Amino acid sequence: MSDQDAIARFARETVIEPDHIARARLHALELGAAPVSAGVGAQCAVIAAASAARSIIEIGTGAGVSGLWLLRGAPRAVLTTIDNEPEHLGAARQGFTHAKVPSSRVRMITGRAADVLPRMNEASYDIVLVDADPENVIDYVAHGLRLARAGGTVLVPRVLNARVADPVQRDPLTVAYRTLLQETQSSPAVIPALSTTGEGLLQLTTVTE
């Protein structure tokens, strides 16, 4: 095992996931709704806490793992979460109930993100998390930047894998992620950061004028 692999493994095993989120993770795996890793979830919680987020929108609910991490960091925030699978939303609702999150703090929307996002109010959210339909990631990030307030943050997990790092790989999904990473690094509209924890987390904070 290389030093880099050993460090990644140590970092991964160091994260302690709260019981209610670990329970939601098990439910997600049973449903086949792959949740974000605990390391990425913990980073999302820190970002939510540091920004004192009060309004969060999540594109892709799954079984509620990422939403629970975000609310762990921002216990007073209202979370709007979008998913096309009623079964996923049902599982997430159970997870939020188990975590004793008041129903008034979670707004669930059933539908395709591509149909729902154009109807959402722009510049209205402190944090936008994009974790759905990877083939549409560039479009969803564009919507996310529109929905984020000035100084708000767009979070995109799952942006790193061996294919993205290999310039020989040219399949559409890999190219989409690679293009997203390259274009946001040079964009004057955002302050970008890329975390290599877990499956990777792209962080884009909108520039305030």
PDB file of all heavy atoms in Angstrom, residues 104-131:
ATOM      1  N   SER A 104     -41.334  20.713   9.507  1.00  0.00           N
ATOM      2  CA  SER A 104     -41.336  22.076   8.981  1.00  0.00           C
ATOM      3  C   SER A 104     -39.979  22.474   8.407  1.00  0.00           C
ATOM      4  O   SER A 104     -39.868  23.481   7.702  1.00  0.00           O
ATOM      5  CB  SER A 104     -41.724  23.068  10.081  1.00  0.00           C
ATOM      6  OG  SER A 104     -40.812  22.985  11.171  1.00  0.00           O
ATOM      7  N   ARG A 105     -38.949  21.677   8.690  1.00  0.00           N
ATOM      8  CA  ARG A 105     -37.603  22.016   8.221  1.00  0.00           C
ATOM      9  C   ARG A 105     -37.204  21.226   6.987  1.00  0.00           C
ATOM     10  O   ARG A 105     -36.083  21.381   6.495  1.00  0.00           O
ATOM     11  CB  ARG A 105     -36.586  21.784   9.332  1.00  0.00           C
ATOM     12  CG  ARG A 105     -36.664  22.849  10.438  1.00  0.00           C
ATOM     13  CD  ARG A 105     -35.635  22.596  11.513  1.00  0.00           C
ATOM     14  NE  ARG A 105     -34.326  22.345  10.929  1.00  0.00           N
ATOM     15  CZ  ARG A 105     -33.461  21.463  11.447  1.00  0.00           C
ATOM     16  NH1 ARG A 105     -33.797  20.740  12.498  1.00  0.00           N
ATOM     17  NH2 ARG A 105     -32.276  21.312  10.888  1.00  0.00           N
ATOM     18  N   VAL A 106     -38.083  20.377   6.485  1.00  0.00           N
ATOM     19  CA  VAL A 106     -37.766  19.583   5.294  1.00  0.00           C
ATOM     20  C   VAL A 106     -38.914  19.697   4.295  1.00  0.00           C
ATOM     21  O   VAL A 106     -40.059  19.363   4.604  1.00  0.00           O
ATOM     22  CB  VAL A 106     -37.523  18.101   5.642  1.00  0.00           C
ATOM     23  CG1 VAL A 106     -37.203  17.321   4.366  1.00  0.00           C
ATOM     24  CG2 VAL A 106     -36.390  17.953   6.644  1.00  0.00           C
ATOM     25  N   ARG A 107     -38.597  20.142   3.107  1.00  0.00           N
ATOM     26  CA  ARG A 107     -39.573  20.247   2.028  1.00  0.00           C
ATOM     27  C   ARG A 107     -39.159  19.259   0.937  1.00  0.00           C
ATOM     28  O   ARG A 107     -38.095  19.391   0.349  1.00  0.00           O
ATOM     29  CB  ARG A 107     -39.586  21.662   1.465  1.00  0.00           C
ATOM     30  CG  ARG A 107     -40.529  21.868   0.284  1.00  0.00           C
ATOM     31  CD  ARG A 107     -40.282  23.222  -0.347  1.00  0.00           C
ATOM     32  NE  ARG A 107     -41.163  23.469  -1.482  1.00  0.00           N
ATOM     33  CZ  ARG A 107     -40.933  24.398  -2.404  1.00  0.00           C
ATOM     34  NH1 ARG A 107     -39.843  25.159  -2.333  1.00  0.00           N
ATOM     35  NH2 ARG A 107     -41.768  24.576  -3.402  1.00  0.00           N
ATOM     36  N   MET A 108     -39.990  18.260   0.705  1.00  0.00           N
ATOM     37  CA  MET A 108     -39.671  17.232  -0.273  1.00  0.00           C
ATOM     38  C   MET A 108     -40.466  17.458  -1.557  1.00  0.00           C
ATOM     39  O   MET A 108     -41.678  17.683  -1.512  1.00  0.00           O
ATOM     40  CB  MET A 108     -39.978  15.848   0.290  1.00  0.00           C
ATOM     41  CG  MET A 108     -39.098  15.467   1.461  1.00  0.00           C
ATOM     42  SD  MET A 108     -39.335  13.743   1.950  1.00  0.00           S
ATOM     43  CE  MET A 108     -38.032  13.577   3.177  1.00  0.00           C
ATOM     44  N   ILE A 109     -39.765  17.388  -2.680  1.00  0.00           N
ATOM     45  CA  ILE A 109     -40.398  17.588  -3.979  1.00  0.00           C
ATOM     46  C   ILE A 109     -40.155  16.357  -4.838  1.00  0.00           C
ATOM     47  O   ILE A 109     -39.005  15.964  -5.072  1.00  0.00           O
ATOM     48  CB  ILE A 109     -39.840  18.829  -4.700  1.00  0.00           C
ATOM     49  CG1 ILE A 109     -40.086  20.088  -3.847  1.00  0.00           C
ATOM     50  CG2 ILE A 109     -40.471  18.980  -6.079  1.00  0.00           C
ATOM     51  CD1 ILE A 109     -39.488  21.350  -4.448  1.00  0.00           C
ATOM     52  N   THR A 110     -41.238  15.733  -5.294  1.00  0.00           N
ATOM     53  CA  THR A 110     -41.132  14.577  -6.180  1.00  0.00           C
ATOM     54  C   THR A 110     -41.165  15.053  -7.626  1.00  0.00           C
ATOM     55  O   THR A 110     -42.113  15.720  -8.047  1.00  0.00           O
ATOM     56  CB  THR A 110     -42.294  13.596  -5.942  1.00  0.00           C
ATOM     57  OG1 THR A 110     -42.341  13.229  -4.560  1.00  0.00           O
ATOM     58  CG2 THR A 110     -42.117  12.345  -6.788  1.00  0.00           C
ATOM     59  N   GLY A 111     -40.139  14.717  -8.379  1.00  0.00           N
ATOM     60  CA  GLY A 111     -40.117  15.117  -9.786  1.00  0.00           C
ATOM     61  C   GLY A 111     -38.717  15.076 -10.351  1.00  0.00           C
ATOM     62  O   GLY A 111     -37.734  14.933  -9.623  1.00  0.00           O
ATOM     63  N   ARG A 112     -38.626  15.190 -11.660  1.00  0.00           N
ATOM     64  CA  ARG A 112     -37.336  15.246 -12.336  1.00  0.00           C
ATOM     65  C   ARG A 112     -36.704  16.607 -12.073  1.00  0.00           C
ATOM     66  O   ARG A 112     -37.355  17.647 -12.215  1.00  0.00           O
ATOM     67  CB  ARG A 112     -37.496  15.031 -13.833  1.00  0.00           C
ATOM     68  CG  ARG A 112     -37.966  13.648 -14.231  1.00  0.00           C
ATOM     69  CD  ARG A 112     -38.202  13.534 -15.729  1.00  0.00           C
ATOM     70  NE  ARG A 112     -36.956  13.761 -16.478  1.00  0.00           N
ATOM     71  CZ  ARG A 112     -36.708  14.834 -17.218  1.00  0.00           C
ATOM     72  NH1 ARG A 112     -37.620  15.798 -17.310  1.00  0.00           N
ATOM     73  NH2 ARG A 112     -35.566  14.956 -17.879  1.00  0.00           N
ATOM     74  N   ALA A 113     -35.451  16.581 -11.668  1.00  0.00           N
ATOM     75  CA  ALA A 113     -34.774  17.840 -11.359  1.00  0.00           C
ATOM     76  C   ALA A 113     -34.811  18.798 -12.543  1.00  0.00           C
ATOM     77  O   ALA A 113     -34.968  20.010 -12.369  1.00  0.00           O
ATOM     78  CB  ALA A 113     -33.336  17.556 -10.940  1.00  0.00           C
ATOM     79  N   ALA A 114     -34.681  18.257 -13.748  1.00  0.00           N
ATOM     80  CA  ALA A 114     -34.683  19.106 -14.944  1.00  0.00           C
ATOM     81  C   ALA A 114     -35.996  19.875 -15.089  1.00  0.00           C
ATOM     82  O   ALA A 114     -36.020  20.980 -15.656  1.00  0.00           O
ATOM     83  CB  ALA A 114     -34.438  18.257 -16.188  1.00  0.00           C
ATOM     84  N   ASP A 115     -37.091  19.301 -14.575  1.00  0.00           N
ATOM     85  CA  ASP A 115     -38.389  19.973 -14.644  1.00  0.00           C
ATOM     86  C   ASP A 115     -38.611  20.914 -13.463  1.00  0.00           C
ATOM     87  O   ASP A 115     -39.263  21.958 -13.601  1.00  0.00           O
ATOM     88  CB  ASP A 115     -39.516  18.935 -14.674  1.00  0.00           C
ATOM     89  CG  ASP A 115     -39.460  18.037 -15.893  1.00  0.00           C
ATOM     90  OD1 ASP A 115     -39.001  18.509 -16.950  1.00  0.00           O
ATOM     91  OD2 ASP A 115     -39.862  16.859 -15.778  1.00  0.00           O
ATOM     92  N   VAL A 116     -38.078  20.536 -12.305  1.00  0.00           N
ATOM     93  CA  VAL A 116     -38.331  21.295 -11.073  1.00  0.00           C
ATOM     94  C   VAL A 116     -37.442  22.529 -10.963  1.00  0.00           C
ATOM     95  O   VAL A 116     -37.904  23.619 -10.588  1.00  0.00           O
ATOM     96  CB  VAL A 116     -38.126  20.384  -9.840  1.00  0.00           C
ATOM     97  CG1 VAL A 116     -38.255  21.196  -8.546  1.00  0.00           C
ATOM     98  CG2 VAL A 116     -39.131  19.241  -9.847  1.00  0.00           C
ATOM     99  N   LEU A 117     -36.165  22.390 -11.286  1.00  0.00           N
ATOM    100  CA  LEU A 117     -35.205  23.465 -11.031  1.00  0.00           C
ATOM    101  C   LEU A 117     -35.536  24.783 -11.711  1.00  0.00           C
ATOM    102  O   LEU A 117     -35.362  25.848 -11.095  1.00  0.00           O
ATOM    103  CB  LEU A 117     -33.803  23.001 -11.426  1.00  0.00           C
ATOM    104  CG  LEU A 117     -33.217  21.902 -10.529  1.00  0.00           C
ATOM    105  CD1 LEU A 117     -31.910  21.391 -11.103  1.00  0.00           C
ATOM    106  CD2 LEU A 117     -33.002  22.434  -9.107  1.00  0.00           C
ATOM    107  N   PRO A 118     -36.025  24.782 -12.957  1.00  0.00           N
ATOM    108  CA  PRO A 118     -36.339  26.079 -13.581  1.00  0.00           C
ATOM    109  C   PRO A 118     -37.403  26.867 -12.833  1.00  0.00           C
ATOM    110  O   PRO A 118     -37.511  28.096 -13.018  1.00  0.00           O
ATOM    111  CB  PRO A 118     -36.824  25.686 -14.984  1.00  0.00           C
ATOM    112  CG  PRO A 118     -36.171  24.369 -15.252  1.00  0.00           C
ATOM    113  CD  PRO A 118     -36.169  23.674 -13.928  1.00  0.00           C
ATOM    114  N   ARG A 119     -38.195  26.192 -11.997  1.00  0.00           N
ATOM    115  CA  ARG A 119     -39.267  26.873 -11.276  1.00  0.00           C
ATOM    116  C   ARG A 119     -38.819  27.392  -9.909  1.00  0.00           C
ATOM    117  O   ARG A 119     -39.586  28.092  -9.233  1.00  0.00           O
ATOM    118  CB  ARG A 119     -40.452  25.922 -11.090  1.00  0.00           C
ATOM    119  CG  ARG A 119     -41.016  25.357 -12.383  1.00  0.00           C
ATOM    120  CD  ARG A 119     -42.406  24.796 -12.177  1.00  0.00           C
ATOM    121  NE  ARG A 119     -42.433  23.723 -11.201  1.00  0.00           N
ATOM    122  CZ  ARG A 119     -42.329  22.435 -11.503  1.00  0.00           C
ATOM    123  NH1 ARG A 119     -42.157  22.069 -12.773  1.00  0.00           N
ATOM    124  NH2 ARG A 119     -42.395  21.510 -10.574  1.00  0.00           N
ATOM    125  N   MET A 120     -37.597  27.061  -9.489  1.00  0.00           N
ATOM    126  CA  MET A 120     -37.124  27.483  -8.182  1.00  0.00           C
ATOM    127  C   MET A 120     -36.586  28.907  -8.251  1.00  0.00           C
ATOM    128  O   MET A 120     -36.043  29.340  -9.271  1.00  0.00           O
ATOM    129  CB  MET A 120     -36.025  26.534  -7.679  1.00  0.00           C
ATOM    130  CG  MET A 120     -36.412  25.052  -7.709  1.00  0.00           C
ATOM    131  SD  MET A 120     -37.958  24.666  -6.821  1.00  0.00           S
ATOM    132  CE  MET A 120     -37.422  24.915  -5.125  1.00  0.00           C
ATOM    133  N   ASN A 121     -36.732  29.638  -7.151  1.00  0.00           N
ATOM    134  CA  ASN A 121     -36.323  31.040  -7.115  1.00  0.00           C
ATOM    135  C   ASN A 121     -34.809  31.183  -7.112  1.00  0.00           C
ATOM    136  O   ASN A 121     -34.111  30.522  -6.348  1.00  0.00           O
ATOM    137  CB  ASN A 121     -36.893  31.725  -5.878  1.00  0.00           C
ATOM    138  CG  ASN A 121     -38.405  31.836  -5.924  1.00  0.00           C
ATOM    139  OD1 ASN A 121     -38.984  31.933  -6.995  1.00  0.00           O
ATOM    140  ND2 ASN A 121     -39.037  31.819  -4.759  1.00  0.00           N
ATOM    141  N   GLU A 122     -34.314  32.067  -7.957  1.00  0.00           N
ATOM    142  CA  GLU A 122     -32.867  32.255  -8.035  1.00  0.00           C
ATOM    143  C   GLU A 122     -32.347  33.038  -6.833  1.00  0.00           C
ATOM    144  O   GLU A 122     -33.095  33.754  -6.162  1.00  0.00           O
ATOM    145  CB  GLU A 122     -32.486  32.961  -9.332  1.00  0.00           C
ATOM    146  CG  GLU A 122     -33.018  34.362  -9.475  1.00  0.00           C
ATOM    147  CD  GLU A 122     -32.621  34.985 -10.799  1.00  0.00           C
ATOM    148  OE1 GLU A 122     -32.901  34.379 -11.853  1.00  0.00           O
ATOM    149  OE2 GLU A 122     -32.014  36.077 -10.764  1.00  0.00           O
ATOM    150  N   ALA A 123     -31.056  32.860  -6.556  1.00  0.00           N
ATOM    151  CA  ALA A 123     -30.367  33.564  -5.465  1.00  0.00           C
ATOM    152  C   ALA A 123     -31.095  33.423  -4.131  1.00  0.00           C
ATOM    153  O   ALA A 123     -31.190  34.378  -3.353  1.00  0.00           O
ATOM    154  CB  ALA A 123     -30.184  35.037  -5.822  1.00  0.00           C
ATOM    155  N   SER A 124     -31.618  32.219  -3.865  1.00  0.00           N
ATOM    156  CA  SER A 124     -32.434  32.008  -2.666  1.00  0.00           C
ATOM    157  C   SER A 124     -31.835  31.026  -1.665  1.00  0.00           C
ATOM    158  O   SER A 124     -32.411  30.825  -0.592  1.00  0.00           O
ATOM    159  CB  SER A 124     -33.825  31.502  -3.073  1.00  0.00           C
ATOM    160  OG  SER A 124     -34.502  32.452  -3.858  1.00  0.00           O
ATOM    161  N   TYR A 125     -30.698  30.414  -1.985  1.00  0.00           N
ATOM    162  CA  TYR A 125     -30.185  29.336  -1.137  1.00  0.00           C
ATOM    163  C   TYR A 125     -28.730  29.581  -0.735  1.00  0.00           C
ATOM    164  O   TYR A 125     -27.912  30.033  -1.538  1.00  0.00           O
ATOM    165  CB  TYR A 125     -30.298  27.993  -1.861  1.00  0.00           C
ATOM    166  CG  TYR A 125     -31.731  27.637  -2.178  1.00  0.00           C
ATOM    167  CD1 TYR A 125     -32.305  27.999  -3.393  1.00  0.00           C
ATOM    168  CD2 TYR A 125     -32.528  26.981  -1.247  1.00  0.00           C
ATOM    169  CE1 TYR A 125     -33.631  27.699  -3.678  1.00  0.00           C
ATOM    170  CE2 TYR A 125     -33.851  26.688  -1.512  1.00  0.00           C
ATOM    171  CZ  TYR A 125     -34.399  27.051  -2.730  1.00  0.00           C
ATOM    172  OH  TYR A 125     -35.714  26.764  -3.007  1.00  0.00           O
ATOM    173  N   ASP A 126     -28.451  29.259   0.512  1.00  0.00           N
ATOM    174  CA  ASP A 126     -27.084  29.372   1.013  1.00  0.00           C
ATOM    175  C   ASP A 126     -26.207  28.233   0.488  1.00  0.00           C
ATOM    176  O   ASP A 126     -25.023  28.429   0.225  1.00  0.00           O
ATOM    177  CB  ASP A 126     -27.079  29.336   2.546  1.00  0.00           C
ATOM    178  CG  ASP A 126     -27.889  30.472   3.145  1.00  0.00           C
ATOM    179  OD1 ASP A 126     -27.627  31.633   2.779  1.00  0.00           O
ATOM    180  OD2 ASP A 126     -28.783  30.198   3.966  1.00  0.00           O
ATOM    181  N   ILE A 127     -26.800  27.060   0.360  1.00  0.00           N
ATOM    182  CA  ILE A 127     -26.066  25.888  -0.136  1.00  0.00           C
ATOM    183  C   ILE A 127     -26.940  25.137  -1.128  1.00  0.00           C
ATOM    184  O   ILE A 127     -28.138  24.938  -0.897  1.00  0.00           O
ATOM    185  CB  ILE A 127     -25.672  24.939   1.016  1.00  0.00           C
ATOM    186  CG1 ILE A 127     -24.624  25.613   1.912  1.00  0.00           C
ATOM    187  CG2 ILE A 127     -25.121  23.612   0.480  1.00  0.00           C
ATOM    188  CD1 ILE A 127     -24.228  24.769   3.113  1.00  0.00           C
ATOM    189  N   VAL A 128     -26.326  24.721  -2.230  1.00  0.00           N
ATOM    190  CA  VAL A 128     -26.970  23.859  -3.219  1.00  0.00           C
ATOM    191  C   VAL A 128     -26.103  22.619  -3.354  1.00  0.00           C
ATOM    192  O   VAL A 128     -24.913  22.716  -3.656  1.00  0.00           O
ATOM    193  CB  VAL A 128     -27.096  24.547  -4.594  1.00  0.00           C
ATOM    194  CG1 VAL A 128     -27.810  23.626  -5.577  1.00  0.00           C
ATOM    195  CG2 VAL A 128     -27.818  25.887  -4.469  1.00  0.00           C
ATOM    196  N   LEU A 129     -26.676  21.445  -3.114  1.00  0.00           N
ATOM    197  CA  LEU A 129     -25.936  20.192  -3.290  1.00  0.00           C
ATOM    198  C   LEU A 129     -26.460  19.481  -4.530  1.00  0.00           C
ATOM    199  O   LEU A 129     -27.667  19.277  -4.666  1.00  0.00           O
ATOM    200  CB  LEU A 129     -26.066  19.290  -2.062  1.00  0.00           C
ATOM    201  CG  LEU A 129     -25.189  18.035  -2.135  1.00  0.00           C
ATOM    202  CD1 LEU A 129     -24.515  17.754  -0.794  1.00  0.00           C
ATOM    203  CD2 LEU A 129     -25.986  16.808  -2.571  1.00  0.00           C
ATOM    204  N   VAL A 130     -25.560  19.131  -5.433  1.00  0.00           N
ATOM    205  CA  VAL A 130     -25.915  18.492  -6.701  1.00  0.00           C
ATOM    206  C   VAL A 130     -25.460  17.038  -6.658  1.00  0.00           C
ATOM    207  O   VAL A 130     -24.271  16.750  -6.684  1.00  0.00           O
ATOM    208  CB  VAL A 130     -25.252  19.216  -7.890  1.00  0.00           C
ATOM    209  CG1 VAL A 130     -25.583  18.497  -9.197  1.00  0.00           C
ATOM    210  CG2 VAL A 130     -25.685  20.678  -7.944  1.00  0.00           C
ATOM    211  N   ASP A 131     -26.426  16.124  -6.573  1.00  0.00           N
ATOM    212  CA  ASP A 131     -26.074  14.702  -6.492  1.00  0.00           C
ATOM    213  C   ASP A 131     -27.168  13.857  -7.146  1.00  0.00           C
ATOM    214  O   ASP A 131     -27.786  13.010  -6.512  1.00  0.00           O
ATOM    215  CB  ASP A 131     -25.867  14.290  -5.037  1.00  0.00           C
ATOM    216  CG  ASP A 131     -25.304  12.870  -4.912  1.00  0.00           C
ATOM    217  OD1 ASP A 131     -24.687  12.386  -5.887  1.00  0.00           O
ATOM    218  OD2 ASP A 131     -25.477  12.251  -3.847  1.00  0.00           O
TER     219      ASP A 131
END
